[in-house]
Coordinates of all heavy atoms in Angstrom, one line a residue:
M1 N 22.8 -2.3 3.6 CA 21.8 -3.4 3.5 C 22.1 -4.5 4.5 O 23.2 -4.7 4.9 CB 22.0 -4.0 2.1 CG 21.0 -3.6 1.1 SD 21.1 -4.5 -0.4 CE 22.0 -3.4 -1.4
S2 N 21.0 -5.1 4.9 CA 21.1 -6.2 5.9 C 21.1 -7.5 5.2 O 20.8 -7.6 4.0 CB 20.0 -6.1 6.9 OG 18.8 -6.3 6.3
K3 N 21.4 -8.5 5.9 CA 21.5 -9.9 5.4 C 20.1 -10.5 5.4 O 19.3 -10.3 6.3 CB 22.3 -10.7 6.3 CG 22.5 -12.2 5.9 CD 23.4 -12.9 6.8 CE 23.5 -14.3 6.4 NZ 22.5 -15.2 6.9
C4 N 19.7 -11.1 4.3 CA 18.4 -11.8 4.1 C 18.6 -13.2 4.4 O 19.5 -13.9 3.8 CB 17.9 -11.6 2.7 SG 16.3 -12.3 2.4
D5 N 17.9 -13.8 5.3 CA 18.0 -15.2 5.6 C 17.1 -16.1 4.8 O 16.9 -17.3 5.1 CB 17.8 -15.5 7.1 CG 16.4 -15.1 7.6 OD1 15.6 -14.5 6.8 OD2 16.1 -15.4 8.7
R6 N 16.7 -15.6 3.7 CA 15.9 -16.4 2.7 C 16.9 -16.8 1.6 O 17.7 -16.0 1.2 CB 14.8 -15.6 2.1 CG 13.5 -15.5 2.9 CD 13.7 -15.3 4.3 NE 12.5 -15.0 5.1 CZ 12.5 -14.3 6.2 NH1 13.7 -13.9 6.7 NH2 11.5 -14.2 6.9
T7 N 16.7 -18.0 1.0 CA 17.6 -18.4 -0.1 C 17.1 -17.8 -1.4 O 16.0 -17.3 -1.5 CB 17.5 -20.0 -0.2 OG1 16.2 -20.3 -0.6 CG2 17.9 -20.7 1.1
E8 N 18.0 -17.8 -2.3 CA 17.6 -17.3 -3.7 C 16.4 -18.1 -4.2 O 15.6 -17.5 -4.9 CB 18.8 -17.4 -4.6 CG 18.6 -16.8 -6.0 CD 19.9 -16.8 -6.8 OE1 21.0 -17.0 -6.3 OE2 19.7 -16.6 -8.1
D9 N 16.4 -19.4 -4.0 CA 15.3 -20.2 -4.5 C 14.0 -19.8 -3.8 O 12.9 -19.8 -4.5 CB 15.5 -21.7 -4.3 CG 16.6 -22.3 -5.2 OD1 16.8 -21.6 -6.3 OD2 17.2 -23.3 -4.9
Q10 N 14.0 -19.5 -2.5 CA 12.8 -19.0 -1.8 C 12.3 -17.7 -2.4 O 11.1 -17.5 -2.7 CB 13.1 -18.8 -0.3 CG 13.2 -20.1 0.4 CD 13.6 -19.9 1.9 OE1 14.6 -19.2 2.1 NE2 12.9 -20.5 2.8
I11 N 13.3 -16.8 -2.7 CA 12.9 -15.5 -3.2 C 12.3 -15.6 -4.6 O 11.3 -15.0 -5.0 CB 14.1 -14.5 -3.2 CG1 14.5 -14.2 -1.7 CG2 13.8 -13.2 -4.0 CD1 15.8 -13.5 -1.6
K12 N 12.9 -16.5 -5.4 CA 12.4 -16.8 -6.8 C 11.0 -17.3 -6.7 O 10.1 -17.0 -7.5 CB 13.3 -17.7 -7.5 CG 14.5 -17.1 -8.0 CD 15.4 -18.1 -8.8 CE 16.7 -17.5 -9.2 NZ 17.6 -18.5 -9.9
A13 N 10.7 -18.2 -5.7 CA 9.4 -18.8 -5.5 C 8.4 -17.7 -5.1 O 7.2 -17.7 -5.6 CB 9.4 -19.9 -4.5
Y14 N 8.8 -16.8 -4.3 CA 7.9 -15.6 -3.9 C 7.6 -14.8 -5.2 O 6.5 -14.4 -5.4 CB 8.6 -14.7 -2.9 CG 9.0 -15.3 -1.6 CD1 10.1 -14.9 -0.9 CD2 8.2 -16.4 -1.0 CE1 10.4 -15.4 0.4 CE2 8.6 -16.9 0.2 CZ 9.7 -16.4 0.9 OH 10.0 -17.0 2.1
E15 N 8.6 -14.5 -6.0 CA 8.4 -13.7 -7.2 C 7.5 -14.3 -8.2 O 6.7 -13.7 -8.8 CB 9.8 -13.3 -7.8 CG 10.6 -12.4 -6.9 CD 12.0 -12.1 -7.4 OE1 12.4 -12.8 -8.4 OE2 12.7 -11.2 -6.9
E16 N 7.7 -15.7 -8.3 CA 6.8 -16.4 -9.3 C 5.4 -16.3 -8.9 O 4.5 -16.4 -9.7 CB 7.3 -17.9 -9.4 CG 8.6 -18.0 -10.1 CD 9.2 -19.4 -10.0 OE1 8.5 -20.3 -9.4 OE2 10.3 -19.6 -10.6
E17 N 5.1 -16.2 -7.6 CA 3.7 -16.2 -7.1 C 3.3 -14.8 -6.7 O 2.3 -14.6 -6.0 CB 3.6 -17.1 -5.9 CG 3.8 -18.6 -6.2 CD 2.7 -19.1 -7.1 OE1 1.5 -18.7 -7.0 OE2 3.0 -20.0 -7.9
N18 N 4.1 -13.7 -7.2 CA 3.8 -12.3 -6.8 C 3.7 -12.1 -5.3 O 2.9 -11.4 -4.8 CB 2.5 -11.8 -7.5 CG 2.7 -11.7 -9.0 OD1 3.8 -11.3 -9.5 ND2 1.7 -12.1 -9.8
Y19 N 4.5 -12.9 -4.6 CA 4.6 -12.8 -3.1 C 3.3 -13.2 -2.4 O 3.2 -13.0 -1.2 CB 5.1 -11.4 -2.7 CG 6.5 -11.2 -3.0 CD1 6.9 -10.7 -4.2 CD2 7.5 -11.5 -2.1 CE1 8.3 -10.5 -4.6 CE2 8.8 -11.3 -2.4 CZ 9.2 -10.8 -3.6 OH 10.5 -10.7 -3.9
N20 N 2.4 -13.9 -3.1 CA 1.2 -14.4 -2.5 C 1.5 -15.5 -1.5 O 0.8 -15.8 -0.6 CB 0.2 -14.9 -3.5 CG -0.4 -13.7 -4.3 OD1 -0.7 -12.7 -3.7 ND2 -0.7 -14.0 -5.5
N21 N 2.6 -16.2 -1.7 CA 3.1 -17.3 -0.9 C 4.0 -16.9 0.2 O 4.6 -17.7 1.0 CB 3.7 -18.4 -1.7 CG 4.9 -18.0 -2.5 OD1 5.0 -16.8 -2.8 ND2 5.7 -18.9 -2.9
A22 N 4.3 -15.6 0.4 CA 5.2 -15.1 1.4 C 4.5 -14.5 2.5 O 3.4 -13.9 2.4 CB 6.1 -14.0 0.7
T23 N 5.1 -14.7 3.7 CA 4.5 -14.0 4.9 C 4.9 -12.6 4.9 O 5.8 -12.2 4.1 CB 5.0 -14.6 6.2 OG1 6.4 -14.4 6.3 CG2 4.7 -16.1 6.2
F24 N 4.3 -11.8 5.7 CA 4.7 -10.3 5.8 C 6.2 -10.2 6.2 O 6.9 -9.4 5.6 CB 3.8 -9.6 6.8 CG 4.1 -8.2 6.9 CD1 3.8 -7.3 5.9 CD2 4.8 -7.7 8.0 CE1 4.1 -5.9 6.0 CE2 5.1 -6.3 8.2 CZ 4.8 -5.5 7.1
L25 N 6.6 -11.1 7.1 CA 8.0 -11.0 7.5 C 9.0 -11.4 6.4 O 10.0 -10.9 6.3 CB 8.2 -11.9 8.8 CG 7.5 -11.4 10.0 CD1 7.8 -12.4 11.2 CD2 8.0 -10.0 10.4
D26 N 8.5 -12.4 5.6 CA 9.3 -12.8 4.4 C 9.5 -11.6 3.5 O 10.6 -11.3 3.0 CB 8.7 -14.0 3.6 CG 8.6 -15.3 4.4 OD1 9.5 -15.5 5.2 OD2 7.7 -16.0 4.1
F27 N 8.4 -11.0 3.2 CA 8.3 -9.8 2.3 C 9.2 -8.7 2.8 O 10.0 -8.1 2.1 CB 6.9 -9.3 2.2 CG 6.7 -8.1 1.3 CD1 6.8 -8.2 -0.1 CD2 6.5 -6.9 1.8 CE1 6.7 -7.1 -0.9 CE2 6.3 -5.8 1.0 CZ 6.4 -5.9 -0.3
I28 N 9.1 -8.4 4.1 CA 10.0 -7.3 4.7 C 11.4 -7.7 4.6 O 12.3 -6.9 4.4 CB 9.5 -7.1 6.2 CG1 8.1 -6.5 6.2 CG2 10.5 -6.1 6.9 CD1 7.9 -5.2 5.5
A29 N 11.8 -9.0 4.9 CA 13.2 -9.4 4.8 C 13.7 -9.2 3.4 O 14.9 -8.8 3.3 CB 13.3 -10.9 5.3
V30 N 12.9 -9.6 2.4 CA 13.4 -9.5 1.0 C 13.6 -8.0 0.6 O 14.6 -7.6 0.1 CB 12.5 -10.2 0.1 CG1 12.8 -9.9 -1.4 CG2 12.5 -11.7 0.3
I31 N 12.6 -7.1 0.9 CA 12.7 -5.8 0.5 C 13.9 -5.1 1.3 O 14.6 -4.2 0.7 CB 11.4 -4.9 0.6 CG1 11.0 -4.7 2.0 CG2 10.4 -5.5 -0.3 CD1 9.8 -3.8 2.1
D32 N 14.1 -5.5 2.5 CA 15.2 -4.9 3.3 C 16.5 -5.3 2.6 O 17.4 -4.5 2.5 CB 15.1 -5.4 4.7 CG 16.2 -4.8 5.6 OD1 16.4 -3.5 5.5 OD2 16.9 -5.5 6.3
A33 N 16.7 -6.6 2.2 CA 17.9 -7.1 1.6 C 18.1 -6.4 0.3 O 19.3 -6.2 -0.1 CB 17.8 -8.6 1.4
L34 N 17.1 -6.0 -0.4 CA 17.2 -5.3 -1.7 C 17.4 -3.8 -1.5 O 17.6 -3.1 -2.5 CB 16.0 -5.6 -2.6 CG 15.8 -7.0 -3.0 CD1 14.4 -7.2 -3.7 CD2 16.9 -7.5 -3.9
G35 N 17.4 -3.3 -0.3 CA 17.6 -1.9 -0.1 C 16.3 -1.1 -0.3 O 16.4 0.1 -0.6
I36 N 15.2 -1.7 -0.3 CA 13.9 -1.0 -0.5 C 13.3 -0.7 0.8 O 13.3 -1.5 1.7 CB 13.0 -1.8 -1.4 CG1 13.6 -2.2 -2.7 CG2 11.6 -1.2 -1.5 CD1 12.9 -3.2 -3.5
Q37 N 12.8 0.5 1.0 CA 12.2 0.9 2.2 C 10.7 1.3 2.0 O 10.4 1.8 0.9 CB 12.9 2.2 2.8 CG 14.3 1.9 3.1 CD 15.0 3.2 3.6 OE1 14.5 4.3 3.5 NE2 16.2 3.1 4.1
L38 N 9.9 1.1 3.0 CA 8.5 1.6 3.0 C 8.5 2.9 3.7 O 8.9 3.0 4.8 CB 7.6 0.6 3.7 CG 7.2 -0.6 3.0 CD1 6.4 -1.6 3.9 CD2 6.4 -0.3 1.8
Q39 N 8.1 4.0 3.0 CA 8.0 5.3 3.5 C 6.6 5.9 3.2 O 6.3 6.1 2.1 CB 9.1 6.2 3.0 CG 10.5 5.8 3.3 CD 11.5 6.7 2.7 OE1 11.3 7.5 1.8 NE2 12.8 6.5 3.1
S40 N 5.8 6.1 4.2 CA 4.5 6.6 4.1 C 3.7 5.7 3.1 O 2.9 6.3 2.3 CB 4.5 8.1 3.6 OG 5.2 8.8 4.6
G41 N 3.8 4.4 3.2 CA 3.0 3.5 2.3 C 3.6 3.4 0.9 O 2.9 2.8 0.1
R42 N 4.7 4.0 0.6 CA 5.3 3.9 -0.7 C 6.6 3.1 -0.6 O 7.3 3.2 0.4 CB 5.6 5.3 -1.2 CG 4.4 6.1 -1.5 CD 4.8 7.4 -2.1 NE 3.7 8.2 -2.4 CZ 3.7 9.4 -2.9 NH1 4.9 10.0 -3.1 NH2 2.6 10.1 -3.2
F43 N 6.9 2.4 -1.7 CA 8.2 1.7 -1.8 C 9.2 2.6 -2.3 O 9.0 3.2 -3.4 CB 8.1 0.4 -2.7 CG 7.1 -0.6 -2.2 CD1 5.9 -0.7 -2.7 CD2 7.6 -1.4 -1.2 CE1 5.0 -1.7 -2.2 CE2 6.7 -2.4 -0.7 CZ 5.4 -2.5 -1.2
C44 N 10.3 2.8 -1.6 CA 11.4 3.7 -2.0 C 12.7 2.9 -2.1 O 13.1 2.2 -1.2 CB 11.5 4.8 -1.0 SG 10.0 5.7 -0.8
A45 N 13.4 3.1 -3.2 CA 14.7 2.4 -3.4 C 15.7 3.5 -3.8 O 15.4 4.3 -4.7 CB 14.6 1.3 -4.4
S46 N 16.9 3.3 -3.3 CA 18.0 4.2 -3.8 C 18.5 3.6 -5.1 O 18.7 2.4 -5.2 CB 19.1 4.2 -2.8 OG 18.7 4.8 -1.6
L47 N 18.7 4.5 -6.1 CA 19.3 4.1 -7.4 C 20.6 4.7 -7.5 O 20.8 5.9 -7.4 CB 18.3 4.6 -8.5 CG 16.9 4.0 -8.5 CD1 16.1 4.7 -9.6 CD2 16.9 2.6 -8.6
D48 N 21.6 3.9 -8.0 CA 22.9 4.4 -8.2 C 22.8 5.1 -9.6 O 21.8 5.1 -10.3 CB 24.0 3.4 -8.2 CG 23.8 2.3 -9.3 OD1 23.2 2.5 -10.3 OD2 24.4 1.2 -9.0
E49 N 23.9 5.8 -10.0 CA 23.9 6.6 -11.2 C 23.5 5.8 -12.4 O 22.8 6.3 -13.3 CB 25.2 7.3 -11.3 CG 25.3 8.3 -12.4 CD 26.6 9.1 -12.4 OE1 27.1 9.4 -11.3 OE2 27.2 9.3 -13.5
F50 N 24.0 4.6 -12.5 CA 23.8 3.7 -13.7 C 22.3 3.5 -13.9 O 21.8 3.7 -15.0 CB 24.5 2.4 -13.5 CG 24.2 1.4 -14.6 CD1 24.8 1.5 -15.8 CD2 23.3 0.4 -14.3 CE1 24.5 0.5 -16.8 CE2 22.9 -0.5 -15.3 CZ 23.6 -0.5 -16.5
Y51 N 21.6 3.2 -12.8 CA 20.1 2.9 -12.9 C 19.4 4.2 -13.1 O 18.3 4.2 -13.8 CB 19.6 2.2 -11.7 CG 20.1 0.7 -11.7 CD1 21.0 0.3 -10.8 CD2 19.6 -0.2 -12.6 CE1 21.5 -1.0 -10.8 CE2 20.0 -1.5 -12.7 CZ 21.0 -1.9 -11.8 OH 21.4 -3.2 -11.8
Q52 N 19.8 5.3 -12.5 CA 19.1 6.6 -12.7 C 19.2 7.0 -14.2 O 18.2 7.5 -14.8 CB 19.8 7.7 -11.9 CG 19.4 7.5 -10.4 CD 20.2 8.5 -9.5 OE1 21.0 9.3 -10.0 NE2 19.9 8.5 -8.2
E53 N 20.3 6.8 -14.8 CA 20.5 7.1 -16.3 C 19.6 6.3 -17.1 O 18.9 6.7 -18.0 CB 21.9 7.0 -16.7 CG 22.8 8.1 -16.1 CD 24.3 7.8 -16.4 OE1 24.6 6.9 -17.2 OE2 25.1 8.6 -15.9
G54 N 19.5 5.0 -16.8 CA 18.6 4.1 -17.5 C 17.2 4.4 -17.4 O 16.4 4.3 -18.3
L55 N 16.8 4.8 -16.2 CA 15.4 5.1 -15.9 C 15.1 6.4 -16.7 O 14.0 6.5 -17.2 CB 15.2 5.3 -14.4 CG 13.8 5.6 -13.9 CD1 12.8 4.6 -14.4 CD2 13.7 5.8 -12.4
A56 N 16.0 7.4 -16.7 CA 15.7 8.6 -17.4 C 15.5 8.3 -18.9 O 14.6 8.9 -19.5 CB 16.9 9.6 -17.2
V57 N 16.3 7.4 -19.5 CA 16.1 7.1 -20.9 C 14.8 6.4 -21.1 O 14.1 6.7 -22.1 CB 17.3 6.1 -21.3 CG1 17.0 5.5 -22.7 CG2 18.6 6.9 -21.4
A58 N 14.4 5.5 -20.2 CA 13.1 4.8 -20.3 C 12.0 5.7 -20.2 O 11.0 5.6 -21.0 CB 13.0 3.7 -19.2
R59 N 12.1 6.7 -19.4 CA 11.0 7.7 -19.2 C 10.8 8.6 -20.5 O 9.7 9.1 -20.7 CB 11.2 8.6 -18.0 CG 10.9 7.8 -16.7 CD 11.2 8.7 -15.5 NE 10.7 8.1 -14.3 CZ 11.2 8.4 -13.1 NH1 12.0 9.3 -12.9 NH2 10.7 7.7 -12.0
Q60 N 11.9 8.8 -21.2 CA 11.9 9.6 -22.4 C 11.4 8.8 -23.6 O 11.1 9.4 -24.6 CB 13.2 10.2 -22.6 CG 13.6 11.3 -21.6 CD 15.0 11.8 -21.7 OE1 15.7 11.4 -22.6 NE2 15.4 12.6 -20.8
S61 N 11.5 7.5 -23.6 CA 11.1 6.7 -24.7 C 9.6 6.8 -25.0 O 8.8 6.9 -24.1 CB 11.6 5.3 -24.6 OG 10.7 4.5 -23.8
D62 N 9.2 6.6 -26.3 CA 7.8 6.6 -26.6 C 7.1 5.5 -26.0 O 5.9 5.6 -25.8 CB 7.7 6.6 -28.2 CG 8.2 7.8 -28.8 OD1 8.2 8.9 -28.2 OD2 8.6 7.7 -30.0
S63 N 7.7 4.3 -25.8 CA 7.0 3.2 -25.3 C 6.6 3.3 -23.8 O 5.6 2.7 -23.4 CB 7.8 1.9 -25.5 OG 9.0 2.0 -24.7
F64 N 7.2 4.2 -23.1 CA 6.9 4.4 -21.7 C 6.2 5.7 -21.5 O 5.2 5.7 -20.7 CB 8.1 4.3 -20.8 CG 8.7 3.0 -20.7 CD1 9.8 2.6 -21.4 CD2 8.1 2.0 -19.9 CE1 10.4 1.3 -21.3 CE2 8.7 0.8 -19.8 CZ 9.8 0.4 -20.5
G65 N 6.6 6.7 -22.1 CA 5.9 8.0 -22.0 C 5.4 8.4 -20.7 O 6.1 8.5 -19.7
D66 N 4.1 8.5 -20.6 CA 3.4 8.9 -19.4 C 3.1 7.8 -18.4 O 2.5 8.0 -17.4 CB 2.1 9.6 -19.7 CG 2.4 10.9 -20.5 OD1 3.4 11.5 -20.3 OD2 1.5 11.2 -21.4
Q67 N 3.5 6.6 -18.7 CA 3.1 5.4 -17.9 C 3.9 5.3 -16.6 O 3.5 4.7 -15.7 CB 3.3 4.1 -18.7 CG 2.4 4.0 -19.9 CD 2.6 2.8 -20.7 OE1 3.2 1.8 -20.2 NE2 2.2 2.8 -22.0
I68 N 5.1 5.9 -16.6 CA 5.9 5.8 -15.4 C 5.8 7.1 -14.6 O 6.3 8.2 -15.1 CB 7.4 5.6 -15.7 CG1 7.5 4.3 -16.5 CG2 8.2 5.5 -14.5 CD1 8.9 4.0 -17.0
P69 N 5.2 7.1 -13.4 CA 5.1 8.3 -12.7 C 6.4 8.7 -12.0 O 7.2 7.8 -11.7 CB 4.0 8.0 -11.6 CG 4.1 6.5 -11.4 CD 4.5 6.0 -12.8
T70 N 6.6 10.0 -11.8 CA 7.8 10.4 -11.1 C 7.4 10.9 -9.7 O 6.3 11.3 -9.5 CB 8.4 11.6 -11.9 OG1 7.5 12.6 -12.0 CG2 8.9 11.2 -13.2
S71 N 8.3 10.7 -8.8 CA 8.1 11.2 -7.4 C 8.4 12.6 -7.3 O 9.3 13.1 -8.0 CB 8.8 10.3 -6.4 OG 10.2 10.5 -6.7
S72 N 7.8 13.3 -6.4 CA 8.1 14.7 -6.2 C 8.9 14.9 -5.0 O 9.0 14.1 -4.1 CB 6.8 15.5 -6.2 OG 5.9 15.0 -5.3

């Protein structure tokens, strides 16, 4: 992961406005710092084992069911 030169308060402000107040470069800096990549127009993030297990449980629950698509 690379260093993000945006402050936590700036990132919170972006999130509160659904990134409408962020420039494209702000957006790219934040997703890079979070370890998210754009691949063929899709957001891709590496998940460690802890998050993979939690996601598997969420996908199996009745409240999420078919709402969460899986990648192939």
Side-chain angles (χ1 to χ4, degrees):
M1 254 188 265
S2 68
K3 181 179 179 274
C4 180
D5 61 353
R6 280 41 173 203
T7 66
E8 186 175 339
D9 287 338
Q10 286 174 309
I11 294 170
K12 285 180 183 178
Y14 300 149
E15 291 175 350
E16 289 171 0
E17 296 293 325
N18 292 320
Y19 288 85
N20 290 324
N21 58 339
T23 67
F24 180 72
L25 293 178
D26 293 331
F27 180 74
I28 295 300
V30 172
I31 66 170
D32 185 49
L34 295 174
I36 300 169
Q37 299 175 348
L38 283 173
Q39 295 177 350
S40 301
R42 293 181 176 181
F43 294 102
C44 303
S46 297
L47 299 176
D48 63 23
E49 189 174 317
F50 173 79
Y51 288 110
Q52 288 176 354
E53 290 173 5
L55 184 57
V57 169
R59 285 181 173 157
Q60 292 174 1
S61 83
D62 292 336
S63 61
F64 288 103
D66 297 327
Q67 297 176 17
I68 301 174
T70 58
S71 62
S72 50

